[in-house]
Every structure is written in C-alpha cells, then in structure tokens.
Amino acid sequence: MESSLAPIQALVNQIKLEMFSSTLNPYSFLMPSAYDTGWLAMIPHPKQDSFPKFKGCLVWVLNNQKEEGYWGETGTDGLPTIDSLPATLACMMALKKWGVGENNVKKGLAFIHANSKMLLKEKCDHLPRWFTIVFPAMVELAQAMNLEVVFPKALEGVVLDIFLKRQQILEREEFVDQNCYPPLASYLEALPPSYNIDRKDITMNLSGDGSFFQSPSATACAFLATGNQQSMAYLESLIQRCPNGVPAMYPIDAELTTLCLVNQIQRLGLAGHFSEEVEEILKPIYKTYKNQEVEEIKPNIVPAKIYKDSLAFWLLRMYGYTVTPRNFCWFLCHEDIVVHIERNFECFTSAMYNVYRAADLIFPGEYELEEARLFSRKLLEKSMTLKSVNDNLVIFPNFRRVIEHELSLPWIARLDHLDHRMWIEENKTDTLWIGKASFYRLSNLHDDKLMTLAVENYKFRQSVYMNELEELKRWSKDWGLSDMGFGREKTTYCYFAIASSTNLPHDSIARMIVAKSAILVTVADDFFDMEGSLNDLQTLTQAVQRWDGEGLGGHAKIIFLALDNLVSEVAKNHLRHQGNDITKNLRDMWIETFVSWLTESTWSNTGYVPSLDEYLQTGMTSIATHIMTLPAMCFSNSSIHPTCKLNPNHYENITNLLMASARLLNDIQSYQKELEVGKKNFVVLHLKENPHGGIENSIAYVRELLDEMKKEFLEQAFMDGGNDLPKSFRHFHLSILRVFHMFFNSSNLFDSNNELLHDIKKAIYAPIEYQLVPTS
C-alpha cells in the first residue's frame, strides 16, 4: 500500500514546488486567450510597420494551433467549443497580416468550413451575447483581409440570423451601458464602422492604466485607432507579465485567482495534501476580506464582485475563519442592484451558484444568508429553464449538470468522496471567471497535474476502500452478523457511508471502527424491534450490563460475542497506540445504548406514551451515533485524545446535537412504518399532542427543529470556542451528520435494497471516467 502512495506523494511534492512558490507569477495559473493573443499579434511595430510589435504573440499563435486546425478552447469531450470560431479567425488574421503561417491559415479555414455546422447549427437558437457580438465582426474583418471564410450552404441562414441578432444588440444597447455586462465598449475591436465611434468615445473610456475595460483585445484596437501611448504602455506591461500568450483580462485579480486555486484543490479532494499551503493563502485574503468596505459599485462589475466575495466566504468559513454574511450579501441591501440582477439573471449564473453554495454554511440568526439562498436558488432555477444563457452554460453544459446537482441534493446530504468524483469527471468546470469571448482558467500545465493527482488519489482511495470492505464482510460473516435470518444486512451500506463521508488518512482504523459499530447497531436494533420477545431483550440487556454472556443463546449470544470482540479490539488498539485503557468507557456507552433500546421496546409492549422530551432523551441514545463517532475519534492523530468524552454522563454539545439530529432525521422518514408496528416516533408523538394540525404540520415542525439544530451544529463544527474538541473531531461529527442526512434526506435510503448500489459502485468499484484532453 505504501508503494502505491509513493507516486502520489512525489506528485504532491512537485505541485507544491511549482504552484505554491512565493515568487510564482499569478498569471502562470491562467490559460492564454487565443483570441486576445491574436489581436495583440496584429499591432505593427511603431518604427517598422512591416513587423509586429509583439513578436512573441505571433510566435505563440504559430505554435498553439490545435492539430484539428483551430485555436481556442477544447471541451470535456475533446471537441472544440464555439469560442474556437472567433479565436481561430483572430489568429488567422494575425498570420495573414504578417504573411506567415500559410499552412496554419489553410488548416484554420478548413476547420471552419468542416466544423462550423457542428458548432453553430445545434446552438443557433441559444448563442450567448458575446458570441453574437464577436463572431460576425471576425467574419467581416477576416473577409476584408481576403481570407476565404466560407460556410456550408446549409448554414447560410444561421449565419445571417447571427448577423441580424448582432444588429439588434447594436441598436438596443448604448456604447457604455451600465446595465449590460460586459458593456458594448469592451468589444471595441468587434464593433463595425457603422457604429460610429469617434476618438473621443475611446479616450474618455480609457482606464487610468491605459486599458479599455481591462480587455487586451479591445485595448489593442483602441491603440490602433488612437495611438494612445498609455494604451501602449498597458500592452507592454501585459507582455512583460505574460510573454507566452496573454489572458482575456489584465490586470487580473490575484486574490480571485488564488481563491479559485484553493477551491479547485478542495473540490478535487486534495485539501489534505496541501493544508499548510491553503492556510498560507487564506490568511492574507482573510485580512483583506474582513476589512473591506462596500462602496458604490458599477453594475458592470457586480457579477465579478459577488462571485469573488461569496467564494471567499465559503472557503474562509469552511476553514474556520470568522466571517459574516454581509461580506457577500451586501447586494441584497441595494434595491437597484437586486433589480439589475433579476433583469440580467442569466449573466449572474456563476455568481449565484457561488452564493447558493456559500449559504449552505449558515449559522443561527444569519437571516441574510437565508434570504441569499432563496434569492440565488430562484435565479438558478430560472436559468435552468432557458435555452439561451449568456453565462457559461451553453459552452460548457457540464456546468449546467453541476448546478442541477447542487439544486437537487443539498450539500449537507452529499458525501465528499462522490462529490470529488463528480468534480473530477466534470473537469472543465474549473472556470475562474467568464471573459467577454473566453474563460479564465487554470492553465493546462497546472490543472493537468492537479487533475492527474486527483485521479490517482481517488483510485488509491478506491483500492483502500475495496480491501477494507472485503475485510469487513469477512468479519461480519465470521461473527454471524450477516446471516441472522431477520432484519437488515447492511455491511456494505455501513462501510460505504463512512468511507465516502470522511477524508480520513488512508491508514486510519477509524473507518473500520465506525463501520463495525454501525453493523452491530443495525443487527441489535432489528433484534430489539422485530425478533426478540421482551424477555429475550431483558436477558440480553442484563448480560451487556454485567458484560457476561453466560446463559445467552441463539441470536442474543451472537450479538453479545460480536460486541465483546469489537470492544476488546478497539480497547486493545487504543492501549497499544495511545497508552490508556478505555474498555470501561466503551462498555458503559454500549450499556447505555442497549438500555435505551430496551426502554423503547418496553414502551411499545406496554403501550406507554412518553412525552416528547422523554422520548427524545432516549431516542438520542438509541440512534447510536455517539457509539459510532466517539470511539473512532480516539484514534485521531491529534495530540488531544477525547477519552474523557466517552463518559455517557457528559457529552459535548456537538455530540448531543448529532445524536438529536440523527434521531429526528430517522423519525421523519420512518414514522409510517413505526406507526404500523406500534413503535414510538417523534413525529407521531407530536401529532398526538397536536391532533388538529395534521401529520404534515408535525413533519414541518420537526423539519424546523432540524434546521435550527443544523445551524447550531455547523457553527460548533467550523468555529473554535463552542467546545474544547479539536477541529478534526468536530469535522468528524459533521461527516457522520452528513451520512444521516444522506440516508434520510427525502426517503429512507438506509432501508432500501438497491437505491444506493449505483453510488456504492462509483465510490468503491467503478473506474473513474476521466482522461486529460490533449493540448497542442
């Protein structure tokens, strides 16, 4: 196993050197924009106008044509995306202008002729705004340079329609329209002569750094039109920073770039390999973030600010920093901005996606986050119904799938291991931000290494999980737990849930402790619920209280012997690794659990109706999350060991919240079954105390309780000070809570026979579906 880990560690070390160096140029994280690089390559040298000013850009164009003949983006399927059309046209224009790359131009023209139908016809009714502006201009400019841009006859109507839509945009929008993002002015290079832009329109909209809306291509056009030396200085500065192909925006927001890098690492399941590096990135960002003041914001930069602020909130809160919702919910306090977002919601899809995710991490009393969640969900759902979306959904439909996944299943009910797989397989969703004619992405150089590491890391974990599951099945069979002849056989379910919800070290024994405990809990609980007589249950409970199985037989003996084996194994391991004997602590916790099962069975047999408080006090113990969580935590690598937390008379608040939440989650999905067999259930008891409200009212009441508990639990899990447990222990509690939310989110998946089989296959057995898209 260690030999399998060595290549992974070697790649981790390589990435640390290449990506986390203090001297690393943040622009090295971004993929060059072929479109913008082509435009800069067209600028002539001021002293020798028969030569390019930026020869490096021309060389980049010559060297970065794809084998198929295009420049620009490649999709997850290995095929070009529609931004390859304007990018290819811009690059061919640059080559044509300087009389070089004749073969490259021929290949580019052949590509357009052969692929324009595939790229345009299926998308002609829902092309994004940027493409509708840029593509016709590039066709016109290329043809003016005598490039034979010819489309198949079947496409003539489609191309004409795009030109007509471009004209409608030009007539409808102002040059600098505060309500359009990005404004028409940022497409300066793509505006036709008929638009009547004079030199004054250009110079008055130049930024202080000489750029035209921070767009290299628009600034190149502005310089060609005006000869403005500030614009040239801007372009020269850009080339100095990015000599090998330029990004779609300059200058970039370096903080946003590093936030997106951390986000990518987190979502690929690699955070454990780069914990120190991530902390070093987040510390200075936190200082800036907590002190930022929201000043008057121009509408055209609202999407980028919301995107960054909400992403920063999610990451900082996830890592335990003290941040407040107003750090990114500021837009809700500005009615004009809210109206602007609602009117242009399709341009805010990525921003609202980040807002929605940030709102997952809600603490008590954070009403702004509740409002932000409702607002962002409404707009995301609206975006999903559109054929035409001006964000990145059309070009990269896998982003649509990511959003649909986010909306359909709450974060709290998802398992990290499966989320990591989805993020790897939807590997082109690592967009940093949407440019006017392309995307800002992690460069292939860096992203390919991260992706390779993520794939190898996932495969390695699968091999560990496969071996452990086989070991667990043998244990379950050897002790007779898988052949009881009654109840639920859930060996695989139990292991899948704990393995997929946690990011424990590969050699941690905690997974097996939790899984074995869960199997034993399931078998014993079913024995108490459906198999044993009240006398059998009393006899077994008394044996557990004495910790002596003498006189037991049948199923009761099997349960006790397996329990004794598990407790002895855990205690011996703890004594060997940590130096103290926790046998009595473990026995006391199991005794407490068996007594709670007996209490509930006695209620059912005698018809006793407990109060809601009395029921919940017992039900918190009988759900047995504490017996799965606390012993496993004793094997953490932390210097603090929670042996004192194994005392049934004093559990931490976060443990109590876990126990209560798990019980209520179970009861919402099992009340019908338990009503039929006469077993007590919180929903049913609430209905008895409130008969006029109806069952739906009781379910709603329990859901409200769960929602408040979840908020308090998340605050305890992420923030220091609420208890004295180390962060790793609190996060382990959160993993167990997410397991119960997964099992009981919308139905009782735990009791299902096959609803989780597909997820189990993906988590443990099925090879990951990913291959790197080749780049030229």
Side-chain angles (χ1 to χ4, degrees):
M1 193 65 71
E2 292 302 324
S3 61
S4 302
L5 194 59
I8 292 176
Q9 191 56 53
L11 190 52
V12 168
N13 293 339
Q14 186 181 0
I15 290 171
K16 285 183 177 182
L17 284 173
E18 292 181 3
M19 298 185 68
F20 295 99
S21 166
S22 59
T23 59
L24 191 66
N25 178 1
Y27 289 87
S28 69
F29 287 121
L30 300 180
M31 285 186 64
S33 162
Y35 176 82
D36 290 86
T37 304
W39 269 101
L40 264 70
M42 284 186 262
I43 299 176
H45 197 284
K47 294 180 180 178
Q48 292 179 290
D49 60 7
S50 58
F51 292 92
K53 165 68 175 172
F54 303 116
K55 186 179 178 181
C57 290
L58 185 62
V59 171
W60 186 94
V61 170
L62 281 167
N63 293 335
N64 283 273
Q65 186 177 27
K66 303 291 195 292
E67 185 64 33
E68 297 81 357
Y70 68 93
W71 287 266
E73 287 292 348
T74 302
T76 53
D77 52 6
L79 298 175
T81 59
I82 60 168
D83 85 316
S84 64
L85 291 176
T88 298
L89 289 166
C91 289
M92 289 192 303
M93 287 162 53
L95 297 177
K96 179 75 171 178
K97 181 177 179 68
W98 304 115
V100 295
E102 184 178 347
N103 287 334
N104 301 74
V105 172
K106 286 179 180 178
K107 285 179 68 176
L109 290 170
F111 166 80
I112 290 174
H113 184 74
N115 294 276
S116 53
K117 182 178 178 181
M118 179 268 293
L119 290 167
L120 291 177
K121 192 135 191 185
E122 292 179 5
K123 304 177 177 72
C124 61
D125 292 330
H126 44 90
L127 291 168
R129 169 178 170 268
W130 70 261
F131 185 86
T132 307
I133 297 169
V134 170
F135 175 67
M138 293 299 101
V139 172
E140 290 170 337
L141 290 169
Q143 290 174 341
M145 295 179 71
N146 295 318
L147 285 167
E148 296 179 14
V149 181
V150 180
F151 299 100
K153 208 163 186 62
L155 259 192
E156 288 178 357
V158 172
V159 173
L160 179 62
D161 187 56
I162 296 172
F163 273 72
L164 290 173
K165 287 178 179 174
R166 189 263 302 255
Q167 188 58 35
Q168 291 169 1
I169 291 173
L170 296 179
E171 292 172 358
R172 182 174 66 245
E173 296 181 12
E174 297 179 13
F175 185 56
V176 182
D177 195 322
Q178 293 293 319
N179 293 316
C180 293
Y181 178 82
L184 270 181
S186 66
Y187 298 95
L188 179 64
E189 77 286 356
L191 299 180
S194 60
Y195 198 71
N196 292 326
I197 309 158
D198 61 28
R199 187 186 182 106
K200 185 179 177 183
D201 288 325
I202 296 172
T203 54
M204 70 184 296
N205 283 292
L206 289 174
S207 301
D209 61 2
S211 74
F212 206 70
F213 292 88
Q214 296 179 297
S215 165
S217 52
T219 308
C221 184
F223 173 76
L224 290 171
T226 66
N228 185 284
Q229 288 307 304
Q230 270 192 298
S231 295
M232 176 51 69
Y234 162 86
L235 295 171
E236 288 174 338
S237 169
L238 166 60
I239 292 299
Q240 190 173 2
R241 293 297 300 269
C242 308
N244 299 311
V246 301
M249 175 182 278
Y250 178 81
I252 61 166
D253 184 333
E255 281 191 348
L256 175 57
T257 304
T258 52
L259 281 170
C260 290
L261 173 62
V262 173
N263 181 55
Q264 184 75 337
I265 287 170
Q266 183 82 21
R267 303 198 73 176
L268 289 173
L270 302 176
H273 293 295
F274 303 102
S275 53
E276 292 181 10
E277 290 77 13
V278 167
E279 287 289 356
E280 287 303 308
I281 286 174
L282 292 181
K283 281 177 186 175
I285 289 177
Y286 174 61
K287 288 181 181 178
T288 304
Y289 191 73
K290 70 176 181 177
N291 295 322
Q292 70 177 356
E293 296 289 335
V294 179
E295 301 170 354
E296 185 179 353
I297 299 169
K298 293 179 180 179
N300 58 13
I301 66 166
V302 167
K305 182 161 178 59
I306 295 175
Y307 183 96
K308 177 186 175 182
D309 289 350
S310 52
L311 178 58
F313 177 90
W314 185 82
L315 287 169
L316 290 169
R317 177 157 283 190
M318 189 70 75
Y319 279 85
Y321 289 90
T322 303
V323 288
T324 61
R326 67 173 172 270
N327 286 116
F328 80 94
C329 292
W330 49 264
F331 64 93
L332 293 171
C333 301
H334 300 270
E335 186 177 351
D336 57 331
I337 292 178
V338 170
V339 170
H340 172 65
I341 294 171
E342 289 177 329
R343 285 177 179 168
N344 300 275
F345 65 90
E346 69 272 26
C347 300
F348 285 81
T349 308
S350 296
M352 289 300 106
Y353 171 68
N354 273 359
V355 169
Y356 188 75
R357 286 180 64 223
D360 282 325
L361 308 183
I362 184 171
F363 293 171
E366 293 185 334
Y367 304 111
E368 289 168 294
L369 269 189
E370 292 180 351
E371 185 181 353
R373 186 172 183 81
L374 290 172
F375 181 77
S376 57
R377 185 180 182 93
K378 177 184 72 175
L379 296 187
L380 288 172
E381 288 175 341
K382 201 171 178 181
S383 292
M384 293 298 96
T385 65
L386 294 182
K387 287 184 178 179
S388 174
V389 183
N390 283 336
D391 208 329
N392 54 355
L393 294 177
V394 173
I395 307 176
F396 297 102
N398 50 357
F399 187 51
R400 180 185 288 273
R401 292 195 294 272
V402 168
I403 293 174
E404 287 172 345
H405 179 65
E406 196 78 35
L407 294 176
S408 65
L409 190 62
W411 167 80
I412 196 74
R414 301 204 302 269
L415 304 180
D416 277 346
H417 185 57
L418 289 176
D419 261 10
H420 298 155
R421 178 177 182 131
M422 187 202 72
W423 198 253
I424 294 167
E425 291 179 338
E426 306 292 356
N427 62 83
K428 285 296 180 185
T429 55
D430 60 317
T431 306
L432 303 187
W433 188 241
I434 303 97
K436 68 178 194 184
S438 61
F439 293 71
Y440 312 156
R441 280 223 179 80
L442 293 175
S443 73
N444 282 343
L445 174 66
H446 297 309
D447 201 32
D448 285 357
K449 287 183 179 177
L450 280 177
M451 284 294 180
T452 300
L453 176 60
V455 170
E456 293 306 313
N457 187 65
Y458 194 91
K459 286 160 59 177
F460 176 71
R461 284 194 166 272
Q462 279 187 312
S463 68
V464 171
Y465 298 163
M466 210 180 306
N467 291 333
E468 286 186 350
L469 179 54
E470 290 308 307
E471 180 187 339
L472 189 68
K473 287 178 178 178
R474 286 193 296 271
W475 177 85
S476 187
K477 187 172 182 62
D478 289 347
W479 288 97
L481 298 174
S482 57
D483 302 309
M484 295 294 275
F486 67 87
R488 301 161 292 179
E489 202 296 295
K490 295 295 178 183
T491 299
T492 301
Y493 272 32
C494 291
Y495 182 79
F496 153 74
I498 183 59
S500 299
S501 67
T502 60
N503 291 309
L504 293 166
H506 73 278
D507 57 353
S508 172
I509 64 173
R511 281 186 299 274
M512 295 296 276
I513 293 172
V514 176
K516 288 179 179 180
S517 301
I519 293 165
L520 194 49
V521 164
T522 302
V523 171
D525 185 57
D526 285 347
F527 181 68
F528 274 78
D529 281 353
M530 62 180 68
E531 183 66 16
S533 66
L534 188 57
N535 184 60
D536 292 335
L537 307 182
Q538 290 170 338
T539 301
L540 175 57
T541 303
Q542 289 164 3
V544 172
Q545 288 174 311
R546 298 191 311 270
W547 212 267
D548 182 357
E550 187 69 31
L552 292 177
H555 296 129
K557 183 176 182 179
I558 291 172
I559 291 170
F560 181 82
L561 290 177
L563 172 62
D564 184 51
N565 168 263
L566 175 59
V567 168
S568 298
E569 178 189 350
V570 174
K572 285 177 183 175
N573 270 314
H574 193 270
L575 183 62
R576 183 165 64 251
H577 288 100
Q578 310 295 352
N580 24 8
D581 188 358
I582 58 172
T583 302
K584 185 178 186 310
N585 305 76
L586 297 174
R587 287 179 176 180
D588 286 347
M589 291 174 70
W590 278 104
I591 289 168
E592 176 194 36
T593 304
F594 272 80
V595 168
S596 71
W597 289 333
L598 180 62
T599 300
E600 291 181 342
S601 296
T602 304
W603 290 345
S604 297
N605 277 275
T606 62
Y608 176 76
V609 180
S611 67
L612 285 173
D613 286 344
E614 185 182 5
Y615 168 80
L616 191 56
Q617 282 301 311
T618 300
M620 285 169 59
T621 304
S622 67
I623 198 67
T625 50
H626 63 306
I627 205 70
M628 303 175 207
T629 308
L630 299 179
M633 288 197 320
C634 294
F635 294 89
S636 165
N637 291 329
S638 171
S639 58
I640 304 173
H641 298 293
T643 51
C644 60
K645 308 306 177 188
L646 302 181
N647 180 0
N649 298 317
H650 180 70
Y651 295 134
E652 290 286 349
N653 189 34
I654 192 171
T655 305
N656 287 321
L657 285 168
L658 171 62
M659 295 163 72
S661 298
R663 167 49 62 199
L664 295 180
L665 284 164
N666 178 283
D667 282 12
I668 280 182
Q669 299 301 341
S670 61
Y671 74 88
Q672 289 175 311
K673 181 183 78 172
E674 292 174 345
L675 191 59
E676 292 170 3
V677 298
K679 191 179 178 187
K680 301 301 178 285
N681 178 290
F682 195 92
V683 175
V684 176
L685 291 173
H686 182 270
L687 179 62
K688 281 185 178 293
E689 291 188 8
N690 304 271
H692 302 298
I695 192 68
E696 292 303 322
N697 182 66
S698 294
I699 293 172
Y701 173 74
V702 177
R703 290 198 186 281
E704 286 178 17
L705 278 181
L706 278 167
D707 191 52
E708 291 307 310
M709 286 181 183
K710 181 186 73 174
K711 294 171 187 174
E712 187 179 352
F713 185 98
L714 290 176
E715 186 169 26
Q716 295 263 331
F718 288 120
M719 305 308 297
D720 295 330
N723 52 65
D724 59 1
L725 289 177
K727 185 183 290 187
S728 61
F729 298 171
R730 290 180 271 131
H731 286 188
F732 193 77
H733 276 73
L734 176 58
S735 296
I736 302 298
L737 177 66
R738 292 179 71 183
V739 165
F740 276 82
H741 273 277
M742 180 273 295
F743 278 137
F744 304 112
N745 175 55
S746 57
S747 62
N748 187 342
L749 292 181
F750 189 72
D751 285 353
S752 69
N753 291 323
N754 51 29
E755 287 189 43
L756 286 173
L757 295 184
H758 180 64
D759 283 348
I760 290 169
K761 183 179 178 182
K762 288 199 298 182
I764 301 174
Y765 300 108
I768 196 161
E769 296 176 7
Y770 177 85
Q771 72 179 71
L772 291 171
V773 176
T775 57
S776 58

